[in-house]
Amino acid sequence: MRIRIYKGRILSFESPSTVNEYRYMVVREDGRILELSNEIPVRKGEVVDYSDYLILPGFIDTHIHLPQFYQRAKINNSLLDWLEKYIFPAEMKFSDSEFARKASKEFFAELLRNGTTTAVVYSSPHKEATEIAFQEAEKSGIRAVIGQVLMDRNGPEELLITPEKATKDIREVASRWHGSDDRLFYAVTPRFAVSCTMELMKRAAQTAKELDLYIQTHLSEQVGEIEVVKQLFPDIPTYTEVYDRAGLLSEKTIVAHAIHLSDYERELLAKRGTKIAHCPSSNFFLHSGVMNLRKQEKFELKISLGSDVAAGPFLSMLEVLRDAYYANAMTPRKAFYLLTMGGAKALGMEDRIGNFEVGKEADFVVLELEPLASINDDIDEILSKLMILGDERNVIATYVRGHALWPQR
Ligand SMILES: [Zn+2]
């Protein structure tokens, strides 16, 4: 088997405070890491020289909407208004397969250009467009978890589905793609409690459980949204309990935002092992509020980061890191840990990706630091510069499983 030796300043985030540094990473053709060292490796192979560059574990975006890709920066400070005005019409366009294909292709290429190696993606409410999203994700080489958005009320007729049809669509697409190449996975994706009946959510949860699929949805993003949920489910005390009654909260569930929670809700999420995708850029953009990281961590909730395009304006997770820092003061080490290992843990993939260890799969980003910093600067200074000033212009190459996916060759 062919072997490649990557040479560069290689950083791996072991914990929110520990960074390991290496000079060489030896990768087998199948993408496995064979060796990490500071000395010239014993194994022989083709040397890929990134001596002047930083090599970091691939960025993991645990919350992003494919059909909203072209809707960034449409300002509005009411989530429900913004959905109706810009997002529902944009998602309707995905009934056109040709359009869906073009958008999906551009979307995954753009993620790779930004250094994102794994993305957790909401498709549109169309089965066909979701199928196309999987096909284009497969071709691009990216790692992805994708799901068809489900809604059966409070939206335009064209975007609604019946619980029966939803179950059928999930089964059909998941049977083809869940676990494909051990790189693509299916997520059951009820949009949020405002647009789903209890019956739809229950059947979605049941199907996810049967087929061992991921689940993703939105939780407690804005105060106005929470009030609507209260009106729709008057017998259930909290938003989080609505999902719990439906059976949607599990260890394979990622909820986005989770900003306005009571401690009781935090405790419940922690008990179910549910993960939180923190999307600070989106929260600032829609004026949703600021998630309190310290409180979430007090309940040992697992946090990862999401761009939430298009409520979040940036595909670059480096820009999302800056906003994460503005939302909650944290060290750059911790921010990069949340971005890499935090994402891997949200997906239960920490044994395979998230940092560099022998036996793991080589997903990584090569970054140019000039003119922000110089390659020999202190680690914390470099990370701080990247966190506050970095964006996709710093990314010079993106690799998934040892394959260079960007720039395309
Ligand atoms: Zn979202």
Side-chain angles (χ1 to χ4, degrees):
M1 241 187 217
R2 201 180 56 200
I3 285 174
R4 282 214 171 99
I5 300 168
Y6 295 93
K7 185 178 177 199
R9 193 163 184 198
I10 303 166
L11 304 184
S12 176
F13 304 92
E14 302 307 309
S15 79
S17 56
T18 323
V19 185
N20 287 345
E21 186 172 349
Y22 308 100
R23 201 71 195 140
Y24 299 93
M25 178 162 68
V26 183
V27 179
R28 208 165 61 180
E29 197 175 6
D30 66 358
R32 297 257 167 210
I33 300 172
L34 286 180
E35 196 177 330
L36 290 152
S37 67
N38 282 302
E39 312 302 324
I40 295 174
V42 192
R43 286 185 177 83
K44 296 276 169 278
E46 178 197 343
V47 176
V48 184
D49 191 357
Y50 287 127
S51 294
D52 295 333
Y53 302 101
L54 192 70
I55 297 180
L56 296 183
F59 301 157
I60 300 179
D61 184 345
T62 57
H63 186 82
I64 186 164
H65 297 261
L66 187 161
Q68 300 178 14
F69 180 45
Y70 303 118
Q71 302 304 312
R72 288 175 287 160
K74 302 271 173 90
I75 61 164
N76 198 313
N77 62 5
S78 157
L79 164 68
L80 301 180
D81 244 35
W82 175 79
L83 282 171
E84 246 169 64
K85 212 160 148 189
Y86 303 116
I87 298 308
F88 292 155
E91 294 195 353
M92 280 182 211
K93 290 193 188 160
F94 282 72
S95 60
D96 174 350
S97 300
E98 221 168 284
F99 179 79
R101 185 162 308 279
K102 176 183 165 282
S104 301
K105 207 187 194 81
E106 282 181 26
F107 175 78
F108 290 114
E110 194 59 14
L111 280 173
L112 290 165
R113 191 172 78 85
N114 278 271
T116 296
T117 52
T118 301
V120 185
V121 180
Y122 286 55
S123 173
S124 71
H126 309 94
K127 185 187 80 179
E128 191 60 31
T130 307
E131 172 72 30
I132 289 168
F134 272 108
Q135 291 170 1
E136 292 303 320
E138 180 183 48
K139 278 188 219 157
S140 78
I142 201 167
R143 239 179 253 278
V145 178
I146 303 172
Q148 175 182 342
V149 162
L150 307 175
M151 39 201 293
D152 66 344
R153 65 169 157 181
N154 294 329
E157 197 59 39
E158 300 100 293
L159 297 182
L160 303 184
I161 197 166
T162 61
E164 295 73 29
K165 170 88 165 55
T167 315
K168 207 168 146 264
D169 286 1
I170 295 168
R171 284 185 185 281
E172 198 182 316
V173 179
S175 71
R176 252 193 304 279
W177 293 103
H178 188 60
S180 173
D181 190 30
D182 227 359
R183 182 165 65 77
L184 301 170
F185 298 90
Y186 195 94
V188 169
T189 310
R191 184 189 288 276
F192 65 157
V194 173
S195 53
C196 300
T197 61
M198 186 52 87
E199 197 202 340
L200 175 65
M201 290 190 285
K202 275 190 172 161
R203 292 184 69 150
Q206 189 54 39
T207 312
K209 202 172 162 194
E210 259 174 54
L211 304 178
D212 196 27
L213 309 175
Y214 288 99
I215 294 173
Q216 58 180 347
T217 190
H218 299 87
L219 171 66
S220 282
E221 182 175 359
Q222 286 202 346
V223 173
E225 166 210 6
I226 297 167
E227 276 162 18
V228 175
V229 172
K230 258 195 190 120
Q231 286 161 19
L232 292 171
F233 301 94
D235 305 331
I236 305 179
T238 64
Y239 197 162
T240 303
E241 285 164 279
V242 171
Y243 290 151
D244 196 45
R245 296 258 179 111
L248 283 169
L249 303 181
S250 75
E251 285 181 0
K252 293 197 79 166
T253 305
I254 300 177
V255 295
H257 310 301
I259 299 171
H260 311 279
L261 296 181
S262 64
D263 283 355
Y264 177 78
E265 291 177 279
R266 290 192 176 93
E267 219 176 282
L268 180 57
L269 290 170
K271 206 160 105 188
R272 299 284 182 256
T274 295
K275 317 296 197 298
I276 294 175
H278 173 39
C279 309
S281 306
S282 159
N283 301 156
F284 285 133
F285 180 79
L286 289 178
H287 293 272
S288 301
V290 174
M291 190 203 79
N292 188 324
L293 182 63
R294 200 169 43 84
K295 270 197 187 163
Q296 313 286 47
E297 287 178 339
K298 208 175 109 193
F299 289 86
E300 293 180 11
L301 285 162
K302 299 267 182 314
I303 310 291
S304 58
L305 296 172
S307 65
D308 194 21
V309 162
F314 313 116
L315 274 95
S316 169
M317 292 307 288
L318 293 173
E319 302 214 50
V320 173
L321 283 189
R322 176 196 59 222
D323 291 337
Y325 175 73
Y326 290 158
N328 292 277
M330 65 179 93
T331 62
R333 289 177 184 223
K334 177 163 176 177
F336 278 94
Y337 174 81
L338 291 180
L339 174 58
T340 54
M341 273 307 274
K345 284 185 168 178
L347 294 167
M349 293 184 187
E350 64 269 33
D351 295 336
R352 298 173 49 193
I353 54 172
N355 64 8
F356 302 131
E357 271 175 36
V358 171
K360 279 194 172 183
E361 297 176 34
D363 287 12
F364 60 94
V365 191
V366 184
L367 297 145
E368 175 162 43
L369 299 175
E370 302 284 355
L372 301 182
S374 138
I375 191 66
N376 294 316
D377 286 351
D378 169 70
I379 287 180
D380 294 292
E381 205 173 311
I382 288 176
L383 294 177
S384 176
K385 288 267 173 66
L386 274 180
M387 173 169 86
I388 304 298
L389 298 170
D391 59 29
E392 75 279 8
R393 288 170 294 184
N394 297 99
V395 176
I396 68 152
T398 305
Y399 287 73
V400 173
R401 215 179 252 166
H403 293 287
L405 302 183
W406 192 84
Q408 285 160 338
R409 287 175 185 177

